[in-house]
Amino acid sequence: MTTQPVEVARRTVALTVDGQLHHAAEGGTLLDVCRAAGVDTPTLCYGDTLTPRNACRVCVVELEGTRTLVPACSRKVEEGQVVHTDSERVRHSRKLVLELLGSSVDLSVTDGVAAWNERYGADPARFGPAAAPAAAGERDAAVTGEHHLPDPAVAATVAQPPKEDNPLYVRDYGKCILCYKCVDACGEQWQNTFAITAAGRGFSVRIATEFDVSLPDSACVYGGTCLAVCPTGALLPTAEFDLRRTGAWAPERQHATTTVCPYCGVGCNLTLHVQDNEIFKVSSPSDHSVTHGNLCIKGRFGYVHVQPPKRRGPDGPDR
Amino acid sequence: MDLKLTSIEPSPAERAAVDGLLGPPAGAAALRAERGGSVLRAQRHRLLPALWALVERVGHISPEGLGYVARRLGVPPAEAYGVASFYAVLPLAPMPTAHVAHVCVDLSCRLAGERSAELRARLAADPDTTVVDSPCLGLCERAPAALVSTPGAPPQHRLEAAPRREVAQRGDASLVLLRRVDVVDPTDLDAYRAHGGYAALRRAFDIGPTEVLREVLDAGLVGRGGAAFPTGRKWQAVAAQPARPHHLVCNADESEPGTFKDRVLMEGDPFAVVEAMTIAGFATGCEHGWIYLRGEYPLAARRLQDAIDAARAKGLLGADVMGRGLSFDIEVFRGAGAYICGEETAIFNSIEGYRGEPRSKPPFPVEVGLFGRPTVVNNVETLVNVLPIVQFGAAAYRRVGTESSPGTKLFCLSGPLVRPGTYEVPFGTTLRELLALAGGVVDGRPVRAVLLGGAAGSFVGPDRLDLPLTFEDTRAAGTTVGSGVVIVFDDRADLLDAVGRIAAFFRDESCGQCVPCRVGTVRQEEALVRLTARRDALDVPGSTAGDLQLLRDVGRAMRDASICGLGQTAWNAVESAIDGLDVFGDSSPEEGTE
Amino acid sequence: MFGAGGGTSSYKEVEDADVIVLWGSNARNAHPIFFHHVLAAVHRGARLFVVDPRRTETAQWADLWLGPDVGSDIALANTMARHILHLGLQHRAFIERATAGFDTFAASVEEWTLERGEAVTGVPGWAIAELAEAYARADRAQLCWTLGITEHHNATDNVLALINLALLCGHVGRYGSGLNPLRGQNNVQGGGDMGAIPNRLPGFQDLRDPEVLARVGALWGASLRPEPGLHLTAMFEAMGDGRLGALYVVGENPAQSEADSTHALERLAALDHLVVQDIMLTRTAQLADVVLPATAAWCEAEGTVTNSERRVQRVRKAVEPPTGARDDVAILCELAAALGRPLFSGVPSAAAVWEELRTVSPIHAGMSYERLEELGGIQWPCFDEHSLEPSFLHGRLWALEEAERGPRAPFSVVLDEPPVEALDDEFPLRLTTGRRLDSYNTGVQSGAFASPLRRAETIDVGPQDASRLGLREGEVVRVRSRRGAIEAPVRIDAGLRAGLVFMTPHFPDDIDVNVLTIEATDPRSGTAEFKAAAVRIEKLAAAATG
């Protein structure tokens, strides 16, 4: 009774992936097997700290005996499964997912997409020229069930101006692929603040506060749990957004150092992302037992007192 | 939960609407001890009913009304907004007029042509009425149709449609499912009992749950909602689950365009639904039954609720059904304008107070369903089939129909037919026989196409009229019985318009969760708009060949990679129209693209 | 607790608990990421109880919130204990084998019937009973507290009252059950562990233990004296009566953080010599004779800190400090050298200090920098480099062999003692203080960033008081205690009952709540009674109201 509980030993199952026999722990996913086997599997909505949402479908694989393709990120391993990760069917769906997303969302800063497009031969431009960006608030005002006949000359997109309604972070929903990670992280899976939701339906779905009120009017507590999980740069700290916007972004002059938050006694690990001796972003290791990648407003944004212009030294303000 | 709530108070009407559902709020607290947490969170399944209460009373959901619901139920306002904005009949802005007319713009009503336009014009002429487009209202046999709603206390709902039609086969001795409809007073429990009601439940008690399961299994009953899964296997799986409680959900979200047979059953024989659910609950160990009813069926809602109340008053529902120790009760839960909520796992989310997005399967509902518990989900028609099976035995049930498709099937016939309506025929009846039952096409015009199975089904040409309507034959022919939709298009019909409407329907009804469906349905509609524009000699970018290839590519990804049946079937009808009906004419190069 | 100065459990155990009691803790705001672990438990099905005079954001998550009078925690705990005993829910075997003083304790709580508990605490008897039963019946129960327990004149007794409950039910020394003070500062645990407590040596070793004294003295090449030093509040008392004339303040802002700040400022001003070593020119630093500018220990220097689950973690230099600011280690070593006692041969560094500490403190001996890096920090105790101890403390109490159980854990008889400053007609309102999510203590660090959540200081009052006193939201009022008066705008908080008002210490430059607070101090812990002052609210003349 006084001893530390040990993990229950898991049974292993045998399955075949691309003709190779693999053994995997029961309870794991096909994605786990693929990754362990070095089978490169694209993912967008998958997050290591979140329950898979299966929303993007870019990780689909062919599982013999099932009618449709299955998402590797959430499909559990079972004895005797026969899986194909690079069949024509798989390649087709992955290509189309990349084309459908690429044609409707700005994926310019999403890690991996350029290489996947090349690998699957995806051509997001094939649906025609992109429609003009929506005006601010236009997509948020969409009425569910109201149909608008498409303009045959262009392909619809989610392009819209970024929302800059608070000093700490920017919501650039033209880059949002609706992976739901921010909603889940702000909601029941971590922060439990529920400041944001998926609103509307179909192509009009958007991540929104209630009635699209500004973040300062919403329940947001600025822990940045959403920023930490966003895979596409749709959510960025203002400091990083501004570096990118002004063209000052210089990855070669950046470094990241992990330390501990200076505020309360919980001991959250902070990874400070620094360019030219200025912190532009704070994250936390997603595999750390204290934070699981999450922080509060103080940890995420409370670093300003050590930023240039540096606080007053004996000889006056310093840089 | 530490909710951030608006400090602005709701209007008295909004407060009354919500309090009417949830009861008056607790009085001013002494702030010495208070329950919250899991107690409060357990109220979440009342979210959609509370939002409905606001709309029924004041016509829309205001920020203050939403905030009040959030406060009463401990639901974060953003989440409540996410739910409210999911549904098409829960407006988030005030309606400019006292009445709102939901005018059906779906397939059968489009086929009504000029009468459709007249109806719309007549409703729009009233300055107190706002006309909004609606997907299929399930009134296809009375096309063109509209549902006019007037919020208030009580709210009013008025149908604007062709006169109600009695079941054409009324009195036919071969009827099994429809035998009481338009014969027996649907509001009278005694009349129901006088016509064989509750004999099946009595036999169920006599033979016990295991035997009931065996009868259903032996009868070869499969689901009538479209997926045709063996009902007995589903029941056995839930009955065997150790986790408790079990839930039973009657899927009455009949939203497939062209489908209205469940409405006919619920309006015309509501006690049959109640009795069948009680048997299902008995056999599968469910204490809770839910009827997830589409929101646009106000009459069915009233009939079902009255039937439940009457049954409960007679001890046919409740803690000790018929004095046989069974505890079972039923709650009617109204959907709110979302086709996707007919998907079984989307129903769970909708009832639980979340957005009606389908869940990933596995786990399947028989293991992890409503409130995370083992759950049986059966369509209305499927359940009603249980009555003859249990009352007369599987062997008797199998005497009609075919070996692989035993029993009878309800078909919903609409379009330019002499007697559109619901028809019950044995499986194996041909399409031609079915159309003949309905008096054939008006004016004797030739059939250009038939849409089988609704928007998720497929078109067949006039060469297929001798197709026997069974699961096995339709599957072999590359089409589907689906939910029993039969929409007839004569030689005057604009098939491209129908195909375009189907594409628009899927775009509107996609929940938006997965990429193939959310974006794919948009790209599908865009391509069809371009193809149609080219037919009409308009100048649009790209080429017909390119657009057809695009449709095939997108369609295949939707079918292969979407989360649920909506996305997986969103290309079916379009594909069948291109390949089977050659809707793009000789200019179509699709043969070359194969 | 039982010879170790730290929380007994790990955060993961909180996630795995069945009942969690947060007592005098607004963790949702004050320890937000710890509260994530609580929420994980809640979603898993754990029951959460919150004891707090205010219905806080934390309380709103609770299955049951109890709102006792400020300072009635002992009455509440004793009532729970009696109820548990009368239902026979105590853990008899654990009490028998591992504790001492049970009979005396049981007799001492006998008078605390539910009725009496209700009368003294204000919490309905049914709620006290429900909490008591849930806690006693739980397989795994966590009892966590913060300043609501410790910022009282009888802080130590408050803690002992909670320890009694854990001993009574066997909720300590087992995986998932524990007693956990949540630390308010990122290294308050580590500071104490390093010996920055008057009666302790590094590793929480007792200064009065001759064996320890001899061993550490030998390592340091010095003869150590067993007399404890002074804790902070005692220092201020010593300053007051002239026994203390020089003060060296490192990283603290007592000019604004001490209770009864008017009084504290007078004492600081009267010092012969004040040295302040800080990263900012704080209010205290402005009073100093010498200011030693320091690097920000968390991002401009190397080292370690220790969190509320006893996890020692590395801090690392990520940015260059401002010109002239020096590492604390360098300053201290140079100062020591200047005083004629060089601490290190060679260049002093955090790593070198750490290696020295590992030789002095057995509970840190196994923590090399490499291991701290590899394991994401290590919970103490960690006696050698090849093993790890369980995540909870005091497992020995459950050993079946008496020899392994070691010293018995003592029950304590603790008496209900209301706050020093009773309410009366002149000062009828209870002022309590606490923290907001986006601010930190006196705001030296947190004041720099632009927080959308930040709002200026207010006097928070409940709707009943607001209506009785005719106060409007935003109206500026005068708040007066026996020690002084300040002006603040009114904010109406529906979570405050009649008679209870609330302020924070975050904005002392604008509105200094510590003008009002009382310096009544617990003699054992040195903590002042920030949580309970008596005040009244005065309406300003019509012209001055907002």
Side-chain angles (χ1 to χ4, degrees):
Chain A
M1 186 179 258
T2 55
T3 49
Q4 200 89 3
V6 288
E7 295 261 317
V8 175
R10 294 241 176 98
R11 294 180 185 85
T12 54
V13 298
L15 68 162
T16 307
V17 178
D18 297 338
Q20 299 280 319
L21 189 67
H22 293 276
H23 296 273
E26 203 173 66
T29 63
L30 295 180
L31 182 64
D32 297 337
V33 177
C34 287
R35 292 206 163 154
V39 177
D40 181 30
T41 308
T43 59
L44 285 167
C45 70
Y46 172 80
D48 59 352
T49 62
L50 295 163
T51 305
R53 261 292 188 156
N54 314 296
C56 76
R57 316 303 280 186
V58 79
C59 73
V60 287
V61 296
E62 192 170 349
L63 173 61
E64 289 190 8
T66 57
R67 189 170 42 87
T68 59
L69 302 177
V70 303
C73 66
S74 67
R75 189 57 172 246
K76 297 271 197 290
V77 294
E78 285 172 45
E79 183 68 34
Q81 282 171 330
V82 180
V83 178
H84 305 282
T85 72
D86 204 36
S87 65
E88 192 276 332
R89 248 182 112 188
V90 169
R91 294 181 61 88
H92 177 83
S93 277
R94 290 184 180 176
K95 167 177 174 293
L96 261 292
V97 165
L98 290 164
E99 288 178 342
L100 292 172
L101 274 181
S103 65
S104 56
V105 187
D106 173 5
L107 299 178
S108 58
V109 299
T110 307
D111 278 345
V113 163
W116 297 332
N117 278 345
E118 194 169 322
R119 180 164 138 205
Y120 293 104
D123 172 22
R126 66 184 291 202
F127 302 105
E138 193 179 330
R139 282 188 55 82
D140 296 288
V143 174
T144 298
E146 197 173 275
H147 192 77
H148 299 277
L149 202 65
D151 176 349
V154 294
T157 75
V158 300
Q160 59 191 300
K163 290 181 195 283
E164 298 175 73
D165 57 9
N166 74 89
L168 299 181
Y169 70 93
V170 177
R171 296 179 290 154
D172 187 3
Y173 287 137
K175 293 192 175 77
C176 175
I177 59 166
L178 290 167
C179 67
Y180 287 64
K181 282 155 84 172
C182 57
V183 175
D184 288 346
C186 181
E188 190 163 299
Q189 293 192 31
W190 291 114
Q191 173 57 32
N192 285 275
T193 289
F194 304 95
I196 47 173
T197 180
R201 205 166 69 195
F203 196 68
S204 297
V205 171
R206 62 275 178 187
I207 305 302
T209 57
E210 66 273 19
F211 289 97
D212 193 34
V213 299
S214 72
L215 276 193
D217 283 337
S218 79
C220 179
V221 291
Y222 305 92
T225 307
C226 53
L227 305 182
V229 297
C230 179
T232 64
L235 301 173
L236 285 180
T238 304
E240 178 177 349
F241 185 85
D242 285 346
L243 277 181
R244 290 177 182 272
R245 170 157 56 189
T246 59
W249 184 248
E252 68 283 0
R253 299 204 305 272
Q254 294 171 1
H255 67 87
T257 304
T258 300
T259 184
V260 177
C261 180
Y263 292 103
C264 82
V266 174
C268 299
N269 282 40
L270 305 184
T271 301
L272 307 181
H273 301 258
V274 179
Q275 176 176 322
D276 303 333
N277 209 35
E278 284 193 46
I279 299 165
F280 63 85
K281 179 171 90 171
V282 178
S283 63
S284 183
S286 63
D287 59 354
H288 197 276
S289 66
V290 172
T291 66
H292 300 287
N294 303 305
L295 294 170
C296 78
I297 183 173
K298 299 190 290 297
R300 187 82 63 184
F301 297 110
Y303 57 80
V304 174
H305 63 281
V306 296
Q307 287 285 80
K310 286 278 185 179
R311 57 196 187 272
R312 197 161 73 173
D315 306 318
D318 192 297
R319 234 207 94 76
Chain B
M1 311 235 297
D2 49 339
L3 306 179
K4 181 171 172 182
L5 296 164
T6 170
S7 57
I8 306 167
E9 289 297 312
S11 71
E14 287 170 329
R15 188 186 291 275
V18 175
D19 290 352
L21 178 79
L22 303 177
L31 286 172
R32 284 299 190 174
E34 196 171 283
R35 285 187 203 283
S38 56
V39 183
L40 190 59
R41 290 194 295 277
Q43 298 290 305
R44 175 93 188 217
H45 66 283
R46 306 181 84 175
L47 176 59
L48 186 52
L51 297 174
W52 250 129
L54 286 171
V55 171
E56 291 272 54
R57 180 68 184 259
V58 299
H60 77 290
I61 297 165
S62 70
E64 297 77 23
L66 185 94
Y68 187 61
V69 168
R71 191 195 316 167
R72 288 298 313 275
L73 293 176
V75 174
E79 292 236 309
Y81 180 76
V83 170
S85 63
F86 190 81
Y87 296 98
V89 299
L90 302 179
L92 293 164
M95 282 290 161
T97 58
H99 315 288
V100 180
H102 301 270
V103 179
C104 178
V105 296
D106 237 314
L107 298 168
S108 305
C109 288
R110 287 178 115 75
L111 292 172
E114 276 173 23
R115 288 187 295 128
S116 230
E118 284 162 20
L119 172 65
R120 170 176 294 262
R122 181 162 56 78
L123 291 166
D126 175 7
D128 282 339
T129 300
T130 304
V131 169
V132 296
D133 291 348
S134 170
C136 181
L137 290 166
L139 291 164
C140 319
E141 86 278 33
R142 299 173 63 184
L147 177 65
V148 184
S149 298
T150 309
Q156 286 165 8
H157 302 283
R158 185 179 93 239
L159 290 184
E160 290 281 350
R164 184 175 179 277
R165 292 170 183 276
E166 291 197 327
V167 169
Q169 297 163 293
R170 189 167 82 97
D172 186 331
S174 69
L175 291 183
V176 179
L177 306 172
L178 293 179
R179 64 186 160 132
R180 281 181 289 257
V181 178
D182 290 333
V183 174
V184 178
D185 180 354
T187 64
D188 185 345
L189 176 56
D190 291 330
Y192 176 70
R193 294 171 107 160
H195 285 80
Y198 282 103
L201 180 61
R202 188 165 293 281
R203 175 153 191 267
F205 280 133
D206 291 345
I207 63 178
T210 313
E211 281 299 302
V212 172
L213 288 177
R214 212 165 68 123
E215 293 281 21
V216 173
L217 204 59
D218 289 352
L221 176 62
V222 302
R224 303 295 197 240
F229 188 84
T231 306
R233 273 172 53 199
K234 195 184 276 184
W235 285 21
Q236 276 187 323
V238 170
Q241 287 291 323
R244 296 279 156 170
H246 297 174
H247 289 278
L248 168 68
V249 175
C250 170
N251 185 348
D253 189 58
E254 183 172 62
S255 307
E256 187 68 48
T259 319
F260 48 90
K261 43 123 184 145
D262 289 343
R263 172 178 56 76
V264 169
L265 282 175
M266 293 184 289
E267 290 177 354
D269 198 7
F271 288 104
V273 179
V274 172
E275 182 186 359
M277 287 181 71
T278 311
I279 294 171
F282 175 64
T284 58
C286 300
E287 284 192 21
H288 307 280
W290 304 76
I291 299 175
Y292 190 89
L293 180 69
R294 74 172 298 194
E296 296 87 340
Y297 281 178
L299 178 61
R302 196 166 71 236
R303 289 270 161 85
L304 286 167
Q305 190 59 56
D306 289 349
I308 290 166
D309 293 343
R312 196 182 292 128
K314 291 285 182 197
L316 297 169
L317 285 175
D320 184 16
V321 174
M322 272 191 179
R324 305 292 280 259
L326 172 70
S327 173
F328 183 77
D329 215 327
I330 299 175
E331 186 170 328
V332 178
F333 196 99
R334 283 178 76 191
Y339 169 69
I340 189 60
C341 287
E343 201 279 342
E344 56 184 1
T345 59
I347 293 182
F348 304 153
N349 280 338
S350 184
I351 292 179
E352 290 178 25
Y354 293 89
R355 290 164 56 81
E357 293 167 348
R359 300 175 184 173
S360 198
K361 292 185 277 196
F364 291 96
V366 294
E367 294 168 344
V368 182
L370 186 59
F371 301 110
R373 302 294 162 176
T375 303
V376 181
V377 185
N378 285 143
N379 167 265
V380 174
E381 182 188 349
T382 314
L383 283 165
V384 172
N385 268 282
V386 168
L387 298 177
I389 291 169
V390 173
Q391 189 177 353
F392 304 114
Y397 181 82
R398 296 195 73 110
R399 277 185 214 127
V400 266
T402 67
E403 177 61 27
S404 300
S405 300
T408 61
K409 176 77 190 90
L410 299 181
F411 286 94
C412 313
L413 275 68
S414 63
L417 292 164
V418 174
R419 285 187 302 275
T422 306
Y423 289 86
E424 178 176 0
V425 292
F427 276 107
T429 305
T430 65
L431 201 46
R432 191 183 305 278
E433 289 163 348
L434 197 55
L435 298 187
L437 270 178
V441 177
V442 171
D443 299 336
R445 299 198 76 97
V447 171
R448 165 72 169 102
V450 175
L451 180 64
L452 282 182
S458 59
F459 288 97
V460 296
D463 53 322
R464 311 300 282 276
L465 291 183
D466 292 314
L467 181 69
L469 294 168
T470 65
F471 293 114
E472 57 275 19
D473 290 296
T474 52
R475 196 174 298 128
T479 180
T480 176
V481 171
S483 56
V485 171
V486 177
I487 302 178
V488 174
F489 297 79
D490 66 17
D491 60 334
R492 292 166 301 186
D494 180 353
L495 286 180
L496 270 195
D497 174 74
V499 171
R501 170 57 203 162
I502 289 171
F505 174 81
F506 280 112
R507 178 189 182 158
D508 290 349
E509 297 296 337
S510 165
C511 78
Q513 194 180 194
C514 71
V515 172
C517 177
R518 179 179 73 238
V519 191
T521 54
V522 171
R523 297 294 179 243
Q524 173 170 279
E525 191 192 11
E526 286 172 349
L528 284 170
V529 166
R530 284 195 297 270
L531 286 162
T532 309
R534 261 185 231 110
R535 178 198 67 175
D536 299 340
L538 297 174
D539 185 28
V540 288
S543 68
T544 298
D547 281 330
L548 288 171
Q549 185 59 45
L550 187 153
L551 280 172
R552 289 182 195 285
D553 283 353
V554 170
R556 190 174 164 216
M558 287 198 288
R559 182 175 290 162
D560 262 358
S562 295
I563 291 179
C564 79
L566 188 150
Q568 289 162 13
T569 59
W571 150 246
N572 284 1
V574 180
E575 182 185 35
S576 69
I578 293 172
D579 290 346
L581 303 181
D582 198 18
V583 287
F584 294 105
D586 290 330
S587 66
S588 167
E590 81 268 15
E591 294 82 1
T593 63
E594 285 295 320
Chain C
M1 263 162 277
F2 330 129
T8 74
S9 306
S10 60
Y11 299 160
K12 179 72 175 64
E13 290 172 68
V14 173
E15 291 181 25
D16 290 341
D18 302 313
V19 165
I20 299 167
V21 185
L22 297 179
W23 197 314
S25 161
N26 186 9
R28 178 60 153 166
N29 280 355
H31 298 95
I33 300 302
F34 169 79
F35 200 67
H36 278 199
H37 297 268
V38 174
L39 288 167
V42 164
H43 288 308
R44 216 201 67 247
R47 279 204 285 166
L48 174 64
F49 293 83
V50 172
V51 181
D52 195 312
R54 297 187 297 143
R55 195 191 55 179
T56 60
E57 288 86 345
T58 309
Q60 290 169 46
W61 275 98
D63 292 283
L64 182 63
W65 160 68
L66 291 78
D69 276 350
V70 175
S72 68
D73 306 276
I74 290 171
L76 185 63
N78 283 355
T79 307
M80 285 171 61
R82 181 192 184 271
H83 187 70
I84 289 166
L85 286 166
H86 275 248
L87 291 183
L89 296 176
Q90 71 272 32
H91 197 302
R92 291 196 171 83
F94 180 78
I95 292 168
E96 171 108 351
R97 285 193 208 142
T99 70
F102 170 72
D103 292 338
T104 320
F105 167 72
S108 77
V109 299
E110 184 51 34
E111 61 182 330
W112 286 99
T113 62
L114 289 177
E115 294 70 30
R116 174 145 190 246
E118 175 166 340
V120 173
T121 66
V123 176
W126 64 262
I128 302 174
E130 188 171 320
L131 169 57
E133 290 167 39
Y135 182 73
R137 289 203 165 106
D139 182 35
R140 294 171 174 174
Q142 289 287 339
L143 190 40
C144 308
W145 66 89
T146 318
L147 301 179
I149 281 294
T150 52
E151 283 184 351
H152 286 285
H153 77 280
N154 52 349
T156 307
D157 278 355
N158 279 348
V159 173
L160 292 172
L162 302 186
I163 292 174
N164 285 340
L165 290 174
L167 294 179
L168 191 62
C169 304
H171 281 320
V172 69
R174 290 188 296 135
Y175 184 87
S177 277
L179 286 159
N180 294 294
L182 306 175
R183 304 303 197 168
Q185 290 142 354
N186 82 331
N187 200 31
V188 70
Q189 179 71 49
D193 295 346
M194 294 306 110
I197 295 181
N199 60 355
R200 296 285 170 173
L201 288 166
F204 212 72
Q205 299 176 91
D206 193 336
L207 185 66
R208 287 156 303 194
D209 181 336
E211 205 177 303
V212 168
L213 216 56
R215 190 175 55 80
V216 176
L219 282 168
W220 285 350
S223 88
L224 302 177
R225 288 180 302 166
E227 292 93 54
L230 301 178
H231 54 61
L232 181 58
T233 319
M235 287 185 205
F236 268 78
E237 281 165 19
M239 285 152 63
D241 57 27
R243 283 177 292 133
L244 194 64
L247 195 66
Y248 181 5
V249 177
V250 184
E252 179 93 17
N253 184 19
Q256 293 182 316
S257 63
E258 286 299 283
D260 194 356
S261 52
T262 313
H263 207 178
L265 276 172
E266 284 169 18
R267 287 163 172 182
L268 287 168
L271 285 167
D272 299 332
H273 191 62
L274 175 60
V275 181
V276 172
Q277 178 172 322
D278 208 307
I279 66 169
M280 304 271 189
L281 197 64
T282 62
R283 187 78 188 282
T284 310
Q286 289 167 27
L287 300 172
D289 298 285
V290 177
V291 175
L292 301 169
T295 53
W298 66 282
C299 65
E300 293 169 347
E302 302 288 327
T304 64
V305 292
T306 308
N307 74 358
S308 297
E309 58 169 357
R310 298 170 277 106
R311 182 178 298 277
V312 178
Q313 306 190 94
R314 286 275 283 112
V315 289
R316 297 177 184 85
K317 180 175 174 177
V319 292
E320 291 299 326
T323 309
R326 297 184 66 188
D327 187 312
D328 292 308
V329 171
I331 296 173
L332 287 169
C333 287
E334 197 163 315
L335 189 64
L339 289 168
R341 289 300 301 265
L343 297 175
F344 282 93
S345 54
V347 182
S349 69
V353 172
W354 185 252
E355 287 307 307
E356 194 266 354
L357 180 268
R358 289 175 64 200
T359 66
V360 175
S361 166
I363 62 172
H364 294 97
M367 300 181 189
S368 65
Y369 264 25
E370 292 71 29
R371 264 189 115 195
L372 291 175
E373 174 100 27
E374 180 193 342
L375 299 173
I378 300 174
Q379 288 180 275
W380 62 251
C382 177
F383 300 113
D384 64 65
E385 285 205 41
H386 310 290
S387 61
L388 290 174
E389 299 298 310
S391 63
F392 53 90
L393 294 179
H394 312 307
R396 64 172 177 84
L397 294 173
W398 291 87
L400 295 179
E401 299 300 321
E402 183 159 11
E404 291 172 37
R405 279 204 293 276
R408 286 171 173 264
F411 279 97
S412 312
V413 171
V414 282
L415 303 178
D416 169 46
E417 214 174 86
V420 168
E421 199 169 35
L423 302 181
D424 56 23
D425 290 347
E426 199 182 352
F427 296 100
L429 296 172
R430 177 62 73 205
L431 170 69
T432 194
T433 63
R435 269 73 179 164
R436 292 188 196 160
L437 173 63
D438 66 335
S439 293
Y440 181 71
N441 292 352
T442 58
V444 170
Q445 295 176 97
S446 60
F449 79 101
S451 164
L453 301 174
R454 192 164 297 140
R455 46 184 175 76
E457 183 59 11
T458 51
I459 170 86
D460 295 359
V461 301
Q464 286 166 285
D465 284 334
S467 128
R468 189 174 52 84
L469 297 169
L471 305 177
R472 284 176 294 107
E473 179 94 17
E475 171 181 351
V476 176
V477 294
R478 186 174 296 116
V479 188
R480 184 182 294 282
S481 78
R482 289 189 173 82
R483 290 152 296 281
I486 54 177
E487 290 181 9
V490 166
R491 180 174 165 272
I492 296 173
D493 177 353
L496 292 170
R497 63 168 173 271
L500 187 63
V501 298
F502 175 81
M503 296 186 79
T504 83
H506 297 318
F507 309 98
D509 292 339
D510 305 321
I511 297 175
D512 185 358
V513 69
N514 284 330
V515 167
L516 304 175
T517 52
I518 181 167
E519 201 200 1
T521 301
D522 178 41
R524 284 167 287 179
S525 69
T527 320
E529 194 153 76
F530 289 97
K531 293 296 186 193
V535 300
R536 69 169 177 261
I537 291 178
E538 300 167 358
K539 279 183 84 82
L540 300 186
T545 56

